[in-house]
Amino acid sequence: MKIPVICTSLLIEKSPQALPLGAACIASAIKHNPETSGITEVSLKSFSLEDKKIKELKMLSEAEFETDAETGAGARAETETGADKKIAAFIAYSLYSEIKIHEEEQTQVQVQTQTWVGTKAIFCFSCFVWNIKILQESSRILRGRGCITIAGGPEITAHPDFYKDFDYCVSGEGEDSVPSLIKKIIDERKKDNQSSEKKTDESDKSTAIHSFSPDLSKLYSPYLDGILNPSEYEGALWELARGCPFKCSYCYESKGEKKVRYFPMERIKAELDLFAAKKVPQVFVLDPTYNVNKKRAIELLRLIAKKTPDTFYYFEARVEFIDRELAREFTKIPCALQIGLQSANENVLHLVNRPFDKKKFIRNIGILNEEGVTFGLDLIFGLPGETFASFRDGIDFAISLYPNNLEIFCLSVLPGTDLFDRAEALGLVWEKVPTYHVIKTKDFTADDLKRAEKLSKACTYFYNSGRAVPWFNSVCRLLKIKASKFFEIFYDKNADECERFCSSQSSCGEISHIHIQKIQLDFLRSQFSIKNLMKYFPAVEDIVKFYGAISRTTDTGKGEIILLNYDAEYVASDYASDIKYFVENLRPKKCRIETFMNKGQADFRMLRIKKN
């Protein structure tokens, strides 16, 4: 009889960015490993926080702990704990139901062979910072029902000896070690069943297993063997390499081998063919330094252009390795780059072992802008040596480079990293349980962290989700205000809106761009009025409305009709980048346009204005 092995994870959402690739890789390894292929029946089952039942359980917990007056921190913590337990129980019993048939078959087989007594299945959990608490509770429930649980993933790799609610904790890459462990478990259980010696209860103990890095050329692709279907997630998370040549202190790779291991080109070509056959709309590339090997990067970009020309790709890139040749190759496919800035303070980056040449950074970002490559930037607040003032400088610097988005995160002091080992010496105080966020530093007070988080939320709302990149810097110049100050004022005026928006994101809700645009225009109108600049506002309103309609048409393919104060040809031109010059040299002219898709890009056409 084959033993059921279920690989699982809890995702933040069901999307190409959040599909269960780690669990799928382990499932594929178990499926093909000679030690386990004949004795196990492996499957993949994942959950997400946006699943209907899980959302209902979360809402039920919030309703149970809601108070008539106000909800304090203690009540919120109790609400979260209650929701976690309900979700964990739902996951555990959903997984257990997967083995009901096996359980019935097992009972019949046991009468004849007395094999695998007391163990119904093996569950392999893929654990991250955001799901570890829930998966621990799920494991406790399953272990209580006679199942074996194995935990792996980044959170387990960080400290495999810490978690005791799983039977086994596997650190590192588990494609070789997990199948061997499963074979060992099955063999030991067979011996135990044949022995009359009674074993002691070890339900409160966990065994840590440390893995060696597997040969990537010998691993099977979970996409190619059918374990993972990208169509189910409307896209793919595509692993091209493992490892990193850098050792940034806050990253799990800080204690790595400081080298990159590549998957073979034969596998990559086959996966591209699969993406083409399934018409995968978007792919998130898993390679933190995609362009460190320029020759390989260009070769892959040309393959992508040939095989999947209509698929949108997201890359992580190091800006110091950008040159004009590579930038032009990026423009030949639909794609966007995400680039880690983290801080604009060279001394801060030195403390976390991240090389930074500001002049080179500016020059190479300039190449991306000149060639028309879409890119975003990342910032971290709470880094050692950073002050609130220098963090604000980082926002101002980042926005000045015209990123398509600016993602701002709180520092997490992750166990297993170099920063974790040096944190106390660097004056960091942080949460000792997931999510390990920094609480304060020698230079960044707890109040400063709260202020930084508000700036992050304002930036996410107004700049990122508000799609403000085409006009934001022009507006700030006219208002004579820095980006960080702009976000601060916006949050103060729209705190409830920002908090509601961020809450809806975490609970997988949605707020339309049309709604955000209305909030943007209301805020801009008030700021232009305060500074006696209202004569410029009609032009600003046009620019916001025009680019908003273009972006929405790009997203949905649906046209929109809008009315403008100025000729649309000028609103869409470079003249609009200098709003003061624009208004002082052009006369208003009512204009009605319709946006539409033209050869894969959003365009617009003039419409006749109806006269009353």
Side-chain angles (χ1 to χ4, degrees), residues 204-342:
D204 61 340
K205 297 180 181 179
S206 177
T207 301
I209 308 293
H210 297 269
S211 304
F212 293 100
S213 298
D215 182 346
L216 299 188
S217 67
K218 295 180 180 179
L219 299 186
Y220 288 83
S221 165
Y223 292 114
L224 298 178
D225 68 9
I227 290 285
L228 200 54
N229 181 4
S231 298
E232 184 181 344
Y233 298 88
E234 299 182 348
L237 197 59
W238 193 26
E239 195 175 20
L240 300 181
R242 292 183 184 177
C244 179
F246 301 98
K247 299 178 78 69
C248 304
S249 299
Y250 47 78
C251 177
Y252 284 123
E253 295 289 349
S254 59
K255 292 185 176 181
E257 299 175 342
K258 201 176 179 180
K259 69 177 183 179
V260 180
R261 295 147 52 223
Y262 295 107
F263 283 93
M265 196 60 72
E266 181 182 358
R267 164 173 163 157
I268 289 170
K269 290 178 180 178
E271 288 175 327
L272 272 175
D273 289 336
L274 176 73
F275 296 161
K278 290 185 173 290
K279 297 181 179 179
V280 173
Q282 53 185 326
V283 172
F284 289 82
V285 176
L286 267 185
D287 183 346
T289 53
Y290 172 76
N291 60 323
V292 71
N293 184 327
K294 178 183 170 181
K295 182 180 178 181
R296 181 181 170 89
I298 290 177
E299 180 184 2
L300 283 173
L301 289 172
R302 290 173 179 170
L303 267 176
I304 288 168
K306 179 181 178 182
K307 292 177 177 287
T308 57
D310 299 322
T311 301
F312 198 97
Y313 285 80
Y314 297 87
F315 297 93
E316 293 179 75
R318 295 286 296 214
V319 79
E320 53 262 57
F321 300 122
I322 293 290
D323 62 16
R324 200 163 296 277
E325 181 187 12
L326 183 58
R328 286 176 178 168
E329 291 296 333
F330 279 119
T331 66
K332 295 176 183 178
I333 65 169
C335 73
L337 313 184
Q338 197 65 25
I339 295 166
L341 171 60
Q342 319 311 7

Side-chain angles (χ1 to χ4, degrees), residues 51-52 68 73 118 124 253 268 270 331 407 410 464 483 522 528 553 559 578 588:
D51 291 344
K52 182 179 178 181
D68 293 332
C124 299
E253 295 289 349
I268 289 170
T331 66
E407 306 296 337
C410 179
N464 297 349
D522 288 346
F528 275 76
T553 297
D578 186 338

Side-chain angles (χ1 to χ4, degrees), residues 6 17 46 65 83 118 131 243 277 377 410 497 542 554 569 579 593:
I6 300 176
Q17 274 182 292
S46 65
F65 288 99
N131 67 19
L377 297 174
C410 179
E497 187 72 24
D542 277 6
T554 300
E569 296 288 352
I579 299 170
I593 67 167

